[in-house]
Amino acid sequence: MTVHPPVVGHCDELQDALAAFRASAHITQRWGEQLAAVLSGGGRLLAAGNGGSAAQAQHLTAELVGRYRDDRPPFSAIALHADTSSTTAIANDYGVDEVFARQVRAHGREGDVLMLLSTSGASANLLSAADAGRAAGLRVWALTGCEPNPLMAGSDESLCVEAATTATVQELHLVAVHMICAAFDAALDQGAGGRGTRARGARGGGTHA
């Protein structure tokens, strides 16, 4: 394994991992296209993660409810961890492992998509959510770190990022999020699900904090 210097070596680690990640571009393309079909047909995206992965999941839902680049209609996407009252109540009454699974059972419908983000691929609350999603007929997608991992095994499809550090995995997860959004918007332009009308002329740079 290559040993990189501190600080500037972070860029080198990212560059090394990005080269391998390019081979996964077809997965983000497929997910974006499938998500466009589901959401434009009235379905919903549920997303969840812990810590930094929670931020990445919420970034994805914000891009779909708001916009990625060009103006377009809003689509239904919910970051489960963002509902602090529900997550804390569920954790208190049912245990931390149920904080996402119970919300999946409440909000998910057959044919919806559940996106779970985890650098380790071993978070118990995400594994429980994956089980709940599959039982309810949702498509379960996992965006994880190195394979193999339990979340990958418990999902319908997975995109596993090979990187030396958690930070680099998270950075490539953000790249994946933006690639999914780009494929989503392109599919809408092609009329996915019959709701592909997008307002022209207004341009933005994505969702900004």
Side-chain angles (χ1 to χ4, degrees), residues 3-205:
V3 178
H4 296 287
V7 186
V8 71
H10 187 95
C11 295
D12 298 328
E13 290 177 0
L14 179 58
Q15 181 172 292
D16 290 346
L18 182 59
F21 178 76
R22 285 181 64 91
S24 302
H26 65 286
I27 299 176
T28 63
Q29 178 81 27
R30 184 173 69 250
W31 284 2
E33 292 170 352
Q34 291 178 355
L35 195 58
V38 171
L39 270 57
S40 63
R44 172 179 292 164
L45 170 71
L46 304 179
N50 297 292
S53 295
Q56 304 286 31
Q58 196 163 340
H59 190 112
L60 173 59
T61 59
E63 301 283 26
L64 295 171
V65 176
R67 68 179 183 188
Y68 175 53
R69 288 180 176 161
D70 296 335
D71 196 19
R72 53 150 169 76
F75 292 89
S76 182
I78 300 174
L80 300 179
H81 53 272
D83 186 347
T84 56
S85 293
S86 289
T87 55
T88 53
I90 294 167
N92 186 62
D93 294 340
Y94 299 96
V96 175
D97 290 357
E98 280 292 302
V99 294
F100 300 136
R102 192 168 179 85
Q103 291 184 79
V104 168
R105 289 190 287 269
H107 300 304
R109 300 294 182 267
E110 185 174 358
D112 286 349
V113 175
L114 174 63
M115 173 80 81
L116 302 173
L117 291 83
S118 172
T119 57
S120 69
S123 300
N125 54 12
L126 297 179
L127 295 174
S128 296
D131 289 343
R134 294 180 70 182
L138 280 71
R139 306 183 195 188
V140 181
W141 297 343
L143 192 55
T144 77
C146 299
E147 60 178 322
N149 60 72
L151 187 57
M152 168 192 172
S155 301
D156 295 309
E157 295 186 63
S158 62
L159 197 170
C160 303
V161 173
E162 297 291 330
T165 66
T166 296
T168 302
V169 171
Q170 290 176 337
E171 287 156 358
L172 289 177
H173 281 183
L174 180 57
V175 173
V177 163
H178 283 162
M179 292 170 72
I180 290 167
C181 290
F184 178 90
D185 284 0
L188 291 182
D189 277 340
Q190 296 169 12
R195 191 183 164 188
T197 302
R198 293 172 59 181
R200 300 294 180 178
R203 294 189 64 83

